Amino acid sequence: MGFKGKFELATSTRLSGVRFHSFVLKCTNLLLSETVDCMISDEYNQQPFYFRGQTFKPGHSYRFDFDTVDWQWCQHDYFAILGKNDKVVKKWQLNLKEYRPGECPECHGTLKCKKCNGQGFIYPRGRMWEYKTCDACGGTGTCHTCDIPRRAGSFGGPPTGIGNGFK
């Protein structure tokens, strides 16, 4: 089984250019395609997505995100390749670096995008009548380095959020 996986920031076509995290799985086989069962889940395994009998062609990459499979990646979500009896054979988990308040190298704690100063759009060459969506934040105006997407915990589960533990 030859697979390489990585998480990266991608621009959504369904959400009008908003940037989000995406998982890319590449089949590293040279000649033969491979059929496996895959799973995407949060850290609590509340509602996992199963992909049964997925065939991966040799050398091709496949993207798993909101645009392709309706999954928004949050901190500690994972992608797994399953074996017999749904046992995890290989697993990739989204673990983004978390900064304490004021330590972000991009925004220094303001939570605003550095490129557009939190406006979500920029003016090319100083033309005030013409603007375009910011490429760095996708029009949200938030810093994607320190604004980490989190999934709400289940009842009785650990609290989520930044700072005091609540969102």
Side-chain angles (χ1 to χ4, degrees):
M1 181 176 357
F3 290 104
K4 285 186 180 179
K6 65 178 178 176
F7 288 97
E8 60 185 29
L9 275 175
T11 304
S12 174
T13 55
R14 287 178 55 191
L15 297 175
S16 301
V18 173
R19 295 186 48 104
F20 58 81
H21 293 280
S22 177
F23 180 74
V24 178
L25 185 67
K26 181 176 183 177
C27 181
T28 57
N29 292 345
L30 294 176
L31 299 173
L32 300 174
S33 61
E34 196 156 350
T35 302
V36 293
D37 294 337
C38 303
M39 176 181 75
I40 298 176
S41 180
D42 60 352
E43 63 182 319
Y44 309 114
N45 290 331
Q46 289 177 354
Q47 292 181 342
F49 277 25
Y50 291 97
F51 305 97
R52 304 284 183 187
Q54 294 294 309
T55 302
F56 293 91
K57 295 179 183 178
H60 287 141
S61 296
Y62 299 93
R63 182 175 299 276
F64 296 89
D65 55 27
F66 185 73
D67 286 349
T68 58
V69 294
D70 288 339
W71 185 268
Q72 284 188 300
W73 289 94
C74 294
Q75 184 77 322
H76 305 302
D77 288 355
Y78 65 90
F79 182 90
I81 295 176
L82 304 174
K84 292 186 179 193
N85 299 327
D86 287 341
K87 296 214 180 206
V88 175
V89 175
K90 189 144 184 170
K91 177 179 172 180
W92 294 269
Q93 189 168 18
L94 179 63
N95 290 318
L96 301 172
K97 181 173 170 68
E98 296 186 45
Y99 295 99
R100 290 189 292 179
E103 286 188 348
C104 177
E106 294 291 321
C107 70
H108 304 290
T110 63
L111 297 177
K112 292 181 181 179
C113 175
K114 182 179 177 182
K115 188 173 181 183
C116 68
N117 198 23
Q119 294 180 357
F121 52 88
I122 55 175
Y123 299 106
R125 298 271 180 174
R127 293 179 244 165
M128 296 302 287
W129 61 89
E130 191 178 315
Y131 64 92
K132 67 176 189 169
T133 304
C134 178
D135 297 333
C137 67
T140 61
T142 58
C143 174
H144 283 285
T145 304
C146 62
D147 184 31
I148 296 173
R150 298 187 185 281
R151 194 167 310 284
S154 63
F155 181 73
T160 59
I162 300 174
N164 62 359
F166 298 98
K167 199 161 198 167

